[in-house]
Amino acid sequence: MKDTATTARTAAPQVRIKGLYKIFGPRSKQMMAHVDAGMGKAELLEKHQHVLGLQDIDVDMHAGQITVVMGLSGSGKSTLIRHLNLLIEPTAGVVEVDGVDVTSLNESALREMRRKKMSMVFQKFALLPHRTVLDNAAMPLEVQGIDAATREAEGRKWLERVGLGGYEGRYPHQLSGGMQQRVGIARALTSNSDIMLMDEAFSALDPLIRTDMQDLLLELQKELHKTIVFITHDLDEALKLADHLVILNDGAVVQQGEPQHILLNPADPYIEDFVSDINRARVLRVRSVMHDEPKGRPVAGDVDANATLESLIAMSGGETNLAYRVMQDGQIVGEIDMADLVRALVPRVSEGTARTT
Amino acid sequence: MGVGRMATYDGLFEATGLQGWCGETTDGPLTMAELMARARGEDAADVATPLMNTPFPSLDVLHESCATIPRSRDMTEAVEQGFLAIKDPLKVVLDPITQPLSWALDASLELFQAVPWFIMIPLLVILTWFSTKRIGVTVFVAAAFLFMSFINFYDDAMQTLSIIFVCTLISIALGVPIGIAMSRSNALQRGTIPILDMLQTLPTFVYLVPLIYLFSVTESKLYGIAIILYAIVPVVRLTDLGIRLVDKEVIEAADAFGMTARQKLWKVEVPLALPNIMAGVNQTIMMSLAMVVIASLVSAPGLGVKVLAGIRNLELGVGLVAGFCIVLLAVLLDRSTKAALARVDVSGTAR
């Protein structure tokens, strides 16, 4: 999946966000003038009591990829995802889905787009408590006016697919959190839309269940190739899922790109802080730290380009003076020195290090 | 200023030069205070009033000094005349609107009494069973009705039940839409809440007064309106509250999957607010029962009439037994609606 990322990026993005601003407050449109003139978030709040929620967001989301938007609470990530299906209206800027500006749609066209093009998974599941699991899963088709037999067959199929076969007749409150979110995912899949918006979908689950759900999502994605927009505040989750990672802080994009690249080349101290805590050996992959050109030294063996550094350490048995040949699809693509590997494990500190970005 | 009498505030009108405006006192009918004073053989304000006894400058007192200022008796008279003046145009509008209420109340009374007891009692018991699915409540309802029939209060109980039935249905039919509208608009909510507060806090006798003037005591809509005005409040309030309390994320989900406003209302908002709405209905039933007793003052039939007889004719036994039957009716209505409510709530709680 990580390698399809690079090829897909050449095509036109399925979702394009351009120059998006959101100001909260009664006179948000007038406030845009101040923001255009360069007024910052703090000043706007103090002088005009308006909150600058999002500023100048430019993000392209490509078909078949998982775009993860990461940020701490209050960074505007939930606001951003709600602009895609216009649950929140932007103050300025453009949100294009398949080349159509959603802000220009009238009410019925917007409803049609929400029904056919996008589905959403919520942090607290947002299931209908008075309906059975099957009715919940079939809800998107019911909204579209599709007959009961068809929508129930669809609902059953997707419930089966997320591992909830046999639970159709239960009510949401009879299920655990993880199972409820599986219903939420089945509901999103039943709508058969290309784009799936996931708003902190796994944040309310406990860690083990969360890992299960992430695996489930990756497994589904391998097969379905949806365009997924995933919101999270958890960097480990972001790195595990992301093809394209967008880091938000205070309503602005601080850095975006391929997760491995961000990890190795953090653009500013905020991101350095962020990435300093994670287990780099588990996240970084051999291809990100290898040399492209073999130096012709004797090598101890072959390693796959997409293997994690952790697995390579295990393979070397802790020896630091070995080198390995890096293979991808049966071809030699480079060479990795254990010394490079060890160096990559140390988070880069901003002082005294030249930036490669 | 009549026969040399001095009133307390004469000085005030002299000082402000308003005597011309006041004119001469025309001796109208005496006020009660004047009469009392005359009876005691003194002339009200002949003796200079000591400072400590200075009367409040009320309409009556000021009238003594200045004839142009009306007495409070004239004021109440004017209010009455005003009310009588708008009464007729008001009746032209209100009469046709409220006439169906009379028909409904009368028809329901007739129906409840036309059905023989050996059909009515089992019917009510079966209804209780299907709405509550609780053996205890059902047995209690059966026992209560059998007891009331046994002591010859069956007819009165049925009349009371019939009135509650009609008034509750109408309260729900009007109250739920009003509550939904209130939940949609903050402005409407702000405007409606004071009215609801007023309806709930006004002593019930107070709004019987204008109603008696507006409608004839022989019309059943008179007590129907009084009961509905009093009982509609909780169902309106709790519908509004229930819909406002629906989980915001579920509403977002409904929007995100493209529900229309109508789909959202019927598939999400009303079902999720139903436990609250039902709690409102329960309160509405209880309040119409309370009001139907008081409404017996304005010729509402039923158990209240017996209580009233107890008071008027000093028939202590009748009054007490009728009172006990009202309590019984209240308890059985409350228990059965609460049990029905608990059944509605099952899938909604513990999320």
Side-chain angles (χ1 to χ4, degrees), chain A residues 144-161:
Chain A
Q144 297 174 24
I146 286 165
D147 66 286
T150 316
R151 67 178 190 241
E152 279 181 15
E154 262 317 91
R156 258 174 229 287
K157 180 177 105 190
W158 289 114
L159 282 173
E160 190 73 44
R161 189 67 194 78

Side-chain angles (χ1 to χ4, degrees), chain A residues 82 111 115 124 129 142-143, chain B residues 249 252 258 267 347 351:
Chain A
R82 279 165 177 70
R111 200 157 50 226
R115 287 179 178 182
K124 288 189 230 101
E142 181 190 342
V143 171
Chain B
E249 219 182 26
E252 272 195 330
K267 289 176 195 286
S347 54
R351 226 163 50 82

Side-chain angles (χ1 to χ4, degrees), chain A residues 117-337:
Chain A
K117 283 223 170 112
M118 282 187 192
S119 54
M120 196 161 179
V121 181
F122 293 85
Q123 179 174 11
K124 288 189 230 101
F125 324 134
L127 302 173
L128 298 178
H130 62 291
R131 295 189 166 204
T132 61
V133 164
L134 179 59
D135 283 346
N136 265 294
M139 185 268 263
L141 297 182
E142 181 190 342
V143 171
Q144 297 174 24
I146 286 165
D147 66 286
T150 316
R151 67 178 190 241
E152 279 181 15
E154 262 317 91
R156 258 174 229 287
K157 180 177 105 190
W158 289 114
L159 282 173
E160 190 73 44
R161 189 67 194 78
V162 299
L164 280 182
Y167 287 94
E168 289 87 352
R170 305 283 189 93
Y171 284 91
H173 71 270
Q174 296 170 316
L175 306 183
S176 68
M179 287 159 105
Q180 288 190 39
Q181 195 57 298
R182 280 168 198 261
V183 180
I185 292 176
R187 174 171 70 178
L189 292 172
T190 306
S191 82
N192 200 23
S193 51
D194 292 341
I195 304 169
M196 231 168 118
L197 310 177
M198 305 186 77
D199 180 23
E200 303 229 26
F202 304 149
S203 299
L205 306 173
D206 52 53
L208 279 180
I209 308 284
R210 197 184 305 169
T211 312
D212 280 353
M213 297 296 285
Q214 290 160 0
D215 294 339
L216 173 74
L217 182 67
L218 288 174
E219 188 193 320
L220 287 168
Q221 175 66 355
K222 220 177 262 175
E223 191 179 308
L224 302 171
H225 302 295
K226 301 261 181 197
T227 305
I228 298 176
V229 183
F230 195 100
I231 300 287
T232 184
H233 60 251
D234 177 355
L235 184 61
D236 285 311
E237 184 169 70
L239 292 170
K240 180 170 178 180
L241 300 176
D243 296 315
H244 183 72
L245 180 59
V246 179
I247 298 180
L248 276 187
N249 184 26
D250 257 351
V253 174
V254 205
Q255 191 175 9
Q256 59 176 318
E258 218 235 335
Q260 303 267 311
H261 184 259
I262 293 179
L263 206 55
L264 290 169
N265 308 291
D268 76 355
Y270 176 77
I271 298 178
E272 274 167 22
D273 239 19
F274 238 130
V275 300
S276 64
D277 281 343
I278 64 157
N279 182 349
R280 297 165 72 87
R282 185 168 297 166
V283 178
L284 285 175
R285 291 169 193 274
V286 168
R287 66 180 152 83
S288 310
V289 289
M290 68 181 186
H291 302 289
D292 288 341
E293 283 162 29
K295 289 179 189 159
R297 319 175 5 175
V299 289
D302 292 348
V303 64
D304 188 81
N306 276 325
T308 59
L309 298 189
E310 195 176 52
S311 64
L312 184 56
I313 294 170
M315 192 194 282
S316 69
E319 282 289 341
T320 50
N321 45 16
L322 297 179
Y324 286 88
R325 242 184 348 174
V326 182
M327 310 292 287
Q328 189 166 15
D329 304 325
Q331 304 242 311
I332 304 170
V333 288
E335 196 179 276
I336 183 166
D337 205 316

